[in-house]
Amino acid sequence: MNGMDWGLEMKFQPAARLTVLEGARIEGYASVFGVRDQGGDVVVPGAYATSLAVLGARGDSVKMLWQHDPAEPIGVWDEVREDATGLFVRGRLLPEVARAREAAALVAAGAIGGLSIGYRTVRAAKDAGGTRTLTELELWEVSLVTFPMLPQARVAAKGDGPETPWHEVAAALEDARRELAAR
């Protein structure tokens, strides 16, 4: 980050359902439990629990950045929580921020669609095969990124207006993709 080591690790995780909602609203999984990334790390359930509790107690939040750049916040995460799948995030790109408007356009066009987490490892263990299991992380930020570490990171839906029911569009697009792939 600008040539300085802040002790921050950045991991590109699959945005299993990164969805554009109502133009500038987005949601998806910033981290998926049990999936080995290309760096050899696996995040386990509960890894974010302490960090999220501390942030909540302080009245602080996980930051939404553009490409991990701390000088480029582009929105706010209204919801960050662990569920059975992973670290779910839902937030808003801020239309008053030029880079956020650009990000919304790029996501809508399919040019970007990944989510990536910035964190500090608190507890981890490495096995004989080289996999590092991350059991506790201090979560700092979730970024929209161009190149996610895992290939399945992609936008699930996009459209033109706030009246579009995005979850229905996402399902229809995925069904159409599967049908074409089966032919």
Side-chain angles (χ1 to χ4, degrees):
M1 294 184 359
N2 300 336
M4 300 183 77
D5 180 8
W6 294 86
L8 176 69
E9 292 184 50
M10 291 171 248
K11 283 294 173 184
F12 302 96
Q13 293 288 329
R17 298 288 296 180
L18 174 58
T19 306
V20 180
L21 304 167
E22 300 174 13
R25 294 186 51 73
I26 57 174
E27 67 180 31
Y29 283 92
S31 177
V32 176
F33 297 138
V35 177
R36 187 175 193 268
D37 69 20
Q38 291 181 19
D41 290 345
V42 175
V43 179
V44 299
Y48 302 102
T50 300
S51 181
L52 294 175
V54 168
L55 285 169
R58 286 195 317 232
D60 205 353
S61 63
V62 174
K63 306 306 179 206
M64 181 191 293
L65 301 179
W66 174 250
Q67 308 283 356
H68 294 295
D69 187 341
E72 296 219 48
I74 57 172
V76 293
W77 294 116
D78 297 315
E79 181 180 0
V80 179
R81 64 176 164 78
E82 284 193 19
D83 65 18
T85 301
L87 184 69
F88 177 81
V89 294
R90 177 180 292 137
R92 297 169 280 130
L93 294 167
L94 299 176
E96 301 83 3
V97 177
R99 181 67 77 197
R101 290 191 306 273
E102 293 171 7
L106 290 166
V107 170
I112 65 166
L115 289 175
S116 179
I117 57 176
Y119 63 90
R120 182 180 68 82
T121 301
V122 177
R123 282 188 310 186
K126 199 168 205 170
D127 68 17
T131 298
R132 187 171 71 145
T133 302
L134 305 174
T135 56
E136 186 177 349
L137 302 172
E138 181 182 344
L139 184 63
W140 292 2
E141 56 96 3
V142 176
S143 286
L144 284 173
V145 297
T146 307
F147 298 109
M149 181 74 90
L150 294 170
Q152 56 270 57
R154 59 183 169 75
V155 173
K158 55 185 178 257
D160 297 322
E163 70 284 351
T164 306
W166 294 111
H167 63 283
E168 292 174 19
V169 172
L173 287 172
E174 184 61 21
D175 289 345
R177 186 194 63 76
R178 284 189 189 132
E179 271 186 47
L180 287 172
R183 290 183 188 172

